[in-house]
Amino acid sequence: MSDARFSKIHIGDLQVPMREVRLTNGTSVRLYDTSGPSRTDRSAWGSPVTQLGAARRGVITKEMEFVAVREGMTPEFVRQEVAAGRAVIPANVNHPESEPMAIGRNFLVKINANIGNSAVTSSVEEEVEKMTWATRWGADTVMDLSTGPNIHDTREQIIRNSPVPVGTVPIYQALEKVGGRPEALSWEVYRDTLIEQCEQGVDYVTVHAGVRLAYVPLTARRRTGIVSRGGSIMAAWCLAHHRESFLYEHFDEMCALLARYDVTFSLGDGLRPGSISDANDEAQFAELRTLGELTKVAHAYDVQVMIEGPGHVPMHKIKENVDLQRELCDDVPFYTLGPLVTDIAPGYDHITSGIGAAMIAWYGTAMLCYVTPKEHLGLPNRDDVKTGVITYKIAAHAADLAKGHPQAQAWDDALSDARFEFRWEDQFDLSLDPDTARAFHDETLPAAPAKTAHFCSMCGPKFCSMKLSHEVRAGMAEKAAEFTRKGGSIYL
Amino acid sequence: MSDARFSKIHIGDLQVPMREVRLTNGTSVRLYDTSGPSRTDRSAWGSPVTQLGAARRGVITKEMEFVAVREGMTPEFVRQEVAAGRAVIPANVNHPESEPMAIGRNFLVKINANIGNSAVTSSVEEEVEKMTWATRWGADTVMDLSTGPNIHDTREQIIRNSPVPVGTVPIYQALEKVGGRPEALSWEVYRDTLIEQCEQGVDYVTVHAGVRLAYVPLTARRRTGIVSRGGSIMAAWCLAHHRESFLYEHFDEMCALLARYDVTFSLGDGLRPGSISDANDEAQFAELRTLGELTKVAHAYDVQVMIEGPGHVPMHKIKENVDLQRELCDDVPFYTLGPLVTDIAPGYDHITSGIGAAMIAWYGTAMLCYVTPKEHLGLPNRDDVKTGVITYKIAAHAADLAKGHPQAQAWDDALSDARFEFRWEDQFDLSLDPDTARAFHDETLPAAPAKTAHFCSMCGPKFCSMKLSHEVRAGMAEKAAEFTRKGGSIYL
Ligand code: SF4
Ligand code: SF4
């Protein structure tokens, strides 16, 4: 992307980043850009309350203005969406390096890339590289899910370098602090971990406060039990102590804490289905009802909220998830993992889940958590991160198109124009992954003249339908001219 | 797949092939198998009329019986579906090597893999290898779209070695015969080509008889004109001669010809949209109406028919395609290319189209024509063929699940059971691509004990949610036992 045909531009006082793609026909296209590093230092902007608190009081923050420029909307519209809780702007006051962005059904669909090491593999450097790589290809947020050694340092490096909001699941670090034994967890350990992460600049936190003691037995007859790490940790704690979840019981205190930093809740779906067989079951929806209840509590503290969703869901059961989430959770942003529409393709779960992700985003999900080809099999490497991001950019963009977003349609139109006019370089430059598109074309036709040729190796010169189509057009124009000359009354 | 855990079994008198996967827990799962070579020689079965003709006369052919075993249905149900035109069994009497299969909305969703060289690249051997490779991974039919040299020989090698029905687009060879000049085409050249291919054993032919002279101007203002090779060839012919399409005018003769061999029509969508912008436009639907009219003509000759569909279609416009096709074309099988739900990801069009394919199949499409990562960029190689096939197996299977197919659900359940019980080898063996799933797991945990370990590198041993979930289950069982011992009246 360092090519002269691309440039990163910064718009207005707030220096909102965009990627400008200059085409060979003299026009240019501006695309949303997440690649960083940021030119803004939000610490100078000053935000006394949460974005939700400000929006409710009628105040348009700099963050809202920034989002408005990025999304091509009015600042007032952004404010209204945030005030209604339909959108969130995850922006911890201690993460000034991040470029404000909005997550909400009336904005461009966003995608999240999970990074972070496990005890088995990876280093701090690798994880920071994955973050940079993910945002280069278009990740709108990253979650640091590290569970191995150096959780604090890994997170520090990621946050300080990240131009996008960073999310975490604080229970992972809390569990490390108590030696990996869920029953040894306590509210105090958890609270201290949360404070540590809020201080550090985490923008949103996944909290599995909906996994209540009474719901644990609902998972007993499931085919694949509890597949969320946080969910299984909390279920183990509830069962070991035979007590209500400390996250649920201390939820008000958490709200007060998050409000001080404007950290956004991502209320976790600890009981999401881990197989097609378990989709939309009672355990899942019981938890969702509780998340709806907690949403109201958080909103009372002016804390921003989004709700996490499944998981593994067959296509015909996807829409129900969105409809129920809207109804139960006051239409706050839905943030889903996939869903995977079948279980039978480990190694290709970016695709099984990309199908579900595109559909659920069209139905109204605001942010999609990517799934990489390594899902269920191992920790993703750099290439897997890229594949996951590109697949999810496709899903998100397909949903934007289906929702009628004008900017989304303009992008497709620009690429299709380039394709039909055999402006190969423009076609590559406008694609989600110019490197791959160019490399695939080079594989059979590497020579420079092929980049303006009126065919490619797929059909060959005699069978290029687009070339023939141009000839048909020329033929039609000629007939039309002939018709005019002859003064005839009908054409064809 | 040559591993001892897999075996190809043959069921009943007709030797219907199935793949049996033996699991480490002593059970086994039987899966539909397309890998060939066939054990059946259909020439001995004797079929005096077309499958449609037989079905209409109440006759259950051997082909229908074969299909019934493969799909787990009654032969009478198969006959009824074929008689109604809702399903086709493409089975040229001159292709005895093929194993009968059905394409219809009430059967498992099928997928087609396009192979065939272009003038720019590839050889006969490569194309035969691609065919074998495609059926190994699950292609239900293959289309030989060769346009380069040796069209006849390439096709001969493919048909003689193919255990699945072979489709072609005869106009490609006809065009080669007239030196690549569309205007030089004639009914006579086309008819002779069709006879040559019917004699050779082609099971279904794409015929763009719906591209009528009057529809050509409808494409003038399109963003991407005509993107079907056959469509652009016929449009060029119509315009050059300013005459109605010879395919349309000679359609009755074609029907009489195809009936003699029981070759199935695949009525081509020569005016399918080549960009999101052109989806569902007047040109596309005008042609579809004509295809509906031609369906009735073909049925009068007892010739089996399916209808080809687009193309590039945003998600919200997909369903209309299926609904209209059913209505206009008497519910004959719909056979769609993707559709691609966005134009902006060349290099990943297996994914952009896999999303659309899964959705359109759920809505009722009977067969999906795959798209490879090379779409729009070049001729696919062997790896691209595999990626395309696996992606489309995912889409087809996701649709089978969403349609409530019991065999489809059983497959997912078997894999999810293996996953939850940490039977890693079984999880791999039950996956669409065991090689890739195993290789990905090996990347971080290559040692043999890892194949029974209760975790993987994704979350690591302390954070494996499935392991924790088992502990939760054990905990619940213990509590339940305690409850029984104490004679208490409530649990939790
Ligand atoms: S040869 Fe085929 S794939 Fe290549 S540019 Fe022409 S129509 Fe497109
Ligand atoms: S470590 Fe995570 S991905 Fe691996 S088996 Fe356990 S739950 Fe599944």
Side-chain angles (χ1 to χ4, degrees):
Chain A
M1 305 265 176
S2 57
D3 201 283
R5 292 184 304 274
F6 295 98
S7 56
K8 179 107 167 236
I9 59 172
H10 292 84
I11 297 169
D13 292 349
L14 297 177
Q15 293 285 292
V16 179
M18 300 291 278
R19 177 174 309 168
E20 190 164 77
V21 187
R22 279 187 297 282
L23 307 181
T24 58
N25 66 354
T27 66
S28 66
V29 174
R30 284 184 185 179
L31 303 175
Y32 194 104
D33 188 285
T34 57
S35 62
S38 174
R39 284 223 188 155
T40 58
D41 176 2
R42 290 197 304 115
S43 60
W45 295 359
S47 274
V49 288
T50 67
Q51 298 295 321
L52 176 57
R56 282 172 161 179
R57 287 163 192 74
V59 175
I60 292 173
T61 62
K62 290 269 199 306
E63 284 79 3
M64 296 172 203
E65 284 179 34
F66 194 101
V67 163
V69 175
R70 276 188 127 166
E71 302 254 357
M73 288 160 168
T74 66
E76 172 56 18
F77 179 79
V78 178
R79 186 198 65 76
Q80 285 171 15
E81 290 295 300
V82 173
R86 268 193 305 275
V88 296
I89 299 178
N92 187 328
V93 294
N94 291 337
H95 185 199
E97 302 90 344
S98 84
E99 295 167 335
M101 53 78 75
I103 302 165
R105 64 163 60 227
N106 295 320
F107 296 84
L108 287 166
V109 174
K110 304 302 185 300
I111 70 162
N112 170 68
N114 287 339
I115 56 171
N117 57 17
S118 74
V120 179
T121 182
S122 183
S123 68
V124 176
E125 295 67 39
E126 266 180 80
E127 295 313 314
V128 173
E129 198 201 356
K130 282 184 203 170
M131 180 278 293
T132 308
W133 192 238
T135 57
R136 171 182 165 172
W137 294 109
D140 295 288
T141 76
V142 295
M143 287 193 81
D144 174 16
L145 303 187
S146 292
T147 55
N150 309 319
I151 292 188
H152 185 98
D153 291 348
T154 306
R155 193 170 55 233
E156 183 66 21
Q157 292 304 314
I158 288 172
I159 293 174
R160 296 287 77 84
N161 289 287
S162 176
V164 301
V166 175
T168 60
V169 188
I171 198 112
Y172 298 169
Q173 189 182 7
L175 188 67
E176 285 287 351
K177 287 183 181 175
V178 297
R181 295 166 42 244
E183 65 280 12
L185 282 166
S186 66
W187 162 242
E188 290 70 26
V189 170
Y190 186 83
R191 183 198 54 208
D192 293 348
T193 308
L194 203 54
I195 293 171
E196 173 186 339
Q197 300 200 5
C198 288
E199 283 290 333
Q200 219 174 359
V202 167
D203 299 286
Y204 65 92
V205 286
T206 295
V207 180
H208 298 94
V211 180
R212 299 189 59 180
L213 175 62
Y215 305 157
V216 179
L218 299 179
T219 67
R221 270 182 298 275
R222 275 186 159 182
R223 187 169 295 276
T224 50
I226 302 175
V227 297
S228 145
R229 296 182 205 168
S232 61
I233 293 165
M234 287 311 299
W237 187 92
C238 290
L239 204 67
H241 296 275
H242 208 263
R243 274 187 55 188
E244 185 55 274
S245 152
F246 62 80
L247 296 176
Y248 182 79
E249 295 209 316
H250 293 271
F251 195 72
D252 278 87
E253 285 169 76
M254 256 191 280
C255 291
L257 178 59
L258 265 56
R260 290 210 293 278
Y261 303 86
D262 199 3
V263 168
T264 299
F265 269 120
S266 184
L267 296 178
D269 56 336
L271 303 182
R272 68 168 172 265
S275 57
I276 292 298
S277 174
D278 291 343
N280 295 21
D281 73 352
E282 180 48 26
Q284 184 194 335
F285 288 153
E287 181 186 29
L288 187 59
R289 280 189 290 275
T290 298
L291 300 185
E293 182 194 306
L294 297 174
T295 298
K296 291 182 211 308
V297 177
H299 278 178
Y301 286 85
D302 280 350
V303 174
Q304 304 187 91
V305 180
M306 49 188 177
I307 304 286
E308 296 185 7
H312 292 237
V313 184
M315 284 191 285
H316 65 300
K317 291 189 178 175
I318 292 176
K319 191 162 182 297
E320 186 185 5
N321 279 276
V322 184
D323 293 345
L324 208 57
Q325 185 270 340
R326 289 188 73 166
E327 183 193 318
L328 295 174
C329 306
D330 298 340
D331 216 0
V332 299
F334 202 23
Y335 167 29
T336 63
L337 179 75
L340 289 72
V341 296
T342 171
D343 306 335
I344 65 163
Y348 297 81
D349 278 332
H350 58 306
I351 298 178
T352 65
S353 70
I355 293 167
M359 292 175 72
I360 206 164
W362 171 34
Y363 296 145
T365 288
M367 184 156 78
L368 303 168
C369 181
Y370 85 173
V371 171
T372 79
K374 289 281 167 60
E375 185 75 16
H376 300 116
L377 299 170
L379 199 71
N381 62 26
R382 205 180 98 131
D383 286 346
D384 298 319
V385 167
K386 177 178 169 182
T387 303
V389 168
I390 299 282
T391 303
Y392 273 66
K393 291 299 281 184
I394 289 170
H397 182 80
D400 289 334
L401 278 178
K403 289 163 72 180
H405 199 294
Q407 279 175 243
Q409 183 65 52
W411 188 352
D412 285 62
D413 291 349
L415 190 139
S416 287
D417 286 343
R419 178 173 281 157
F420 194 60
E421 292 164 14
F422 298 103
R423 289 183 274 115
W424 288 97
E425 294 293 350
D426 290 349
Q427 184 184 160
F428 304 150
D429 290 349
L430 285 165
S431 68
L432 277 179
D433 179 1
D435 301 352
T436 297
R438 190 171 280 110
F440 281 2
H441 190 261
D442 281 354
E443 238 177 68
T444 45
L445 293 171
K451 304 306 181 213
T452 51
H454 285 205
F455 69 95
C456 74
S457 74
M458 184 167 176
C459 326
K462 274 194 288 196
F463 287 87
C464 176
S465 56
M466 296 205 306
K467 174 166 166 277
L468 268 168
S469 189
H470 280 283
E471 290 166 15
V472 168
R473 279 199 181 179
M476 281 191 283
E478 200 182 295
K479 292 272 180 212
E482 191 182 310
F483 159 79
T484 308
R485 273 198 310 279
K486 290 183 181 163
S489 60
I490 52 158
Y491 168 63
L492 287 180
Chain B
M1 305 263 175
S2 56
D3 201 285
R5 291 184 304 275
F6 296 98
S7 56
K8 179 110 168 233
I9 59 172
H10 293 83
I11 298 170
D13 291 349
L14 297 176
Q15 293 285 291
V16 178
M18 300 290 277
R19 178 174 309 168
E20 191 164 75
V21 187
R22 278 187 298 282
L23 306 181
T24 59
N25 66 354
T27 66
S28 67
V29 174
R30 285 184 184 180
L31 304 175
Y32 194 104
D33 188 285
T34 58
S35 62
S38 174
R39 285 226 186 151
T40 56
D41 177 2
R42 291 197 303 114
S43 60
W45 296 357
S47 275
V49 287
T50 68
Q51 297 294 322
L52 176 57
R56 282 172 161 178
R57 286 163 192 73
V59 175
I60 292 174
T61 62
K62 289 267 198 307
E63 284 78 4
M64 295 173 203
E65 283 179 34
F66 195 101
V67 163
V69 175
R70 275 188 127 166
E71 302 253 358
M73 288 158 166
T74 66
E76 172 57 16
F77 179 79
V78 177
R79 186 198 65 75
Q80 285 170 16
E81 291 294 299
V82 173
R86 267 193 305 275
V88 296
I89 299 178
N92 186 328
V93 294
N94 290 336
H95 185 200
E97 302 92 344
S98 86
E99 295 167 335
M101 52 78 74
I103 302 166
R105 64 164 60 228
N106 295 321
F107 296 84
L108 288 165
V109 174
K110 304 302 187 297
I111 70 162
N112 170 68
N114 287 338
I115 55 171
N117 57 16
S118 74
V120 179
T121 183
S122 185
S123 68
V124 176
E125 295 67 39
E126 268 181 79
E127 295 312 314
V128 173
E129 197 201 355
K130 282 184 202 170
M131 180 277 292
T132 307
W133 192 237
T135 58
R136 169 181 166 172
W137 293 108
D140 295 288
T141 76
V142 294
M143 287 194 80
D144 174 16
L145 303 187
S146 292
T147 56
N150 308 318
I151 292 188
H152 185 99
D153 290 348
T154 306
R155 195 171 53 233
E156 182 65 22
Q157 291 304 314
I158 288 172
I159 293 174
R160 296 286 76 85
N161 288 288
S162 175
V164 302
V166 175
T168 60
V169 189
I171 197 113
Y172 298 170
Q173 189 182 7
L175 188 67
E176 285 287 352
K177 288 183 182 175
V178 297
R181 294 165 45 243
E183 65 279 12
L185 282 166
S186 66
W187 162 243
E188 290 69 27
V189 170
Y190 186 84
R191 182 199 53 209
D192 293 348
T193 308
L194 201 55
I195 293 171
E196 173 186 338
Q197 299 199 8
C198 288
E199 282 290 334
Q200 219 174 358
V202 167
D203 298 286
Y204 65 92
V205 286
T206 295
V207 179
H208 298 92
V211 180
R212 299 190 58 180
L213 175 63
Y215 304 157
V216 179
L218 299 178
T219 66
R221 270 181 299 275
R222 275 184 158 183
R223 188 168 295 276
T224 49
I226 302 175
V227 298
S228 145
R229 296 181 204 169
S232 62
I233 293 165
M234 287 311 299
W237 188 91
C238 289
L239 204 67
H241 296 275
H242 208 264
R243 273 187 53 189
E244 185 55 272
S245 152
F246 62 80
L247 295 175
Y248 181 80
E249 295 207 317
H250 293 270
F251 195 73
D252 278 87
E253 284 169 77
M254 256 191 281
C255 291
L257 177 59
L258 265 56
R260 289 210 294 277
Y261 302 87
D262 198 6
V263 169
T264 299
F265 269 120
S266 185
L267 296 178
D269 56 335
L271 303 182
R272 67 169 172 264
S275 57
I276 292 297
S277 175
D278 291 342
N280 295 21
D281 73 351
E282 180 49 24
Q284 184 194 333
F285 288 153
E287 181 185 29
L288 187 59
R289 280 189 291 275
T290 299
L291 300 186
E293 181 195 307
L294 297 175
T295 297
K296 291 183 211 308
V297 176
H299 278 179
Y301 286 85
D302 281 348
V303 175
Q304 304 188 91
V305 180
M306 49 188 177
I307 304 287
E308 295 185 9
H312 292 238
V313 185
M315 284 191 285
H316 65 301
K317 291 188 178 175
I318 292 177
K319 189 161 183 299
E320 186 185 4
N321 279 275
V322 184
D323 293 344
L324 209 57
Q325 185 270 341
R326 289 189 72 167
E327 182 193 320
L328 295 174
C329 306
D330 298 342
D331 217 359
V332 299
F334 202 24
Y335 167 29
T336 64
L337 178 74
L340 288 71
V341 296
T342 171
D343 306 335
I344 66 164
Y348 297 82
D349 278 332
H350 57 306
I351 298 178
T352 65
S353 70
I355 293 167
M359 292 175 71
I360 207 165
W362 171 34
Y363 297 144
T365 288
M367 185 157 77
L368 303 168
C369 181
Y370 85 173
V371 171
T372 79
K374 289 282 167 59
E375 185 75 15
H376 299 117
L377 299 170
L379 200 70
N381 62 26
R382 204 180 99 132
D383 285 346
D384 299 319
V385 167
K386 177 177 168 183
T387 302
V389 167
I390 299 282
T391 303
Y392 272 67
K393 290 299 282 184
I394 289 170
H397 182 80
D400 289 333
L401 279 177
K403 289 162 72 180
H405 199 294
Q407 279 176 244
Q409 183 65 52
W411 188 353
D412 284 62
D413 291 349
L415 190 140
S416 287
D417 286 342
R419 178 174 280 156
F420 194 60
E421 292 164 13
F422 298 103
R423 289 183 274 117
W424 289 97
E425 294 293 351
D426 289 349
Q427 184 184 160
F428 304 150
D429 289 349
L430 284 165
S431 68
L432 277 178
D433 179 0
D435 301 352
T436 296
R438 191 172 279 110
F440 281 2
H441 190 261
D442 281 354
E443 239 176 68
T444 46
L445 293 171
K451 305 306 182 212
T452 51
H454 285 206
F455 69 95
C456 73
S457 73
M458 185 168 176
C459 326
K462 274 193 288 198
F463 287 87
C464 176
S465 56
M466 295 204 308
K467 173 164 166 279
L468 269 168
S469 189
H470 280 283
E471 290 166 14
V472 167
R473 279 199 180 178
M476 281 192 282
E478 201 181 294
K479 291 274 179 208
E482 192 181 310
F483 159 79
T484 309
R485 275 198 309 277
K486 290 183 182 165
S489 60
I490 53 160
Y491 169 62
L492 287 180

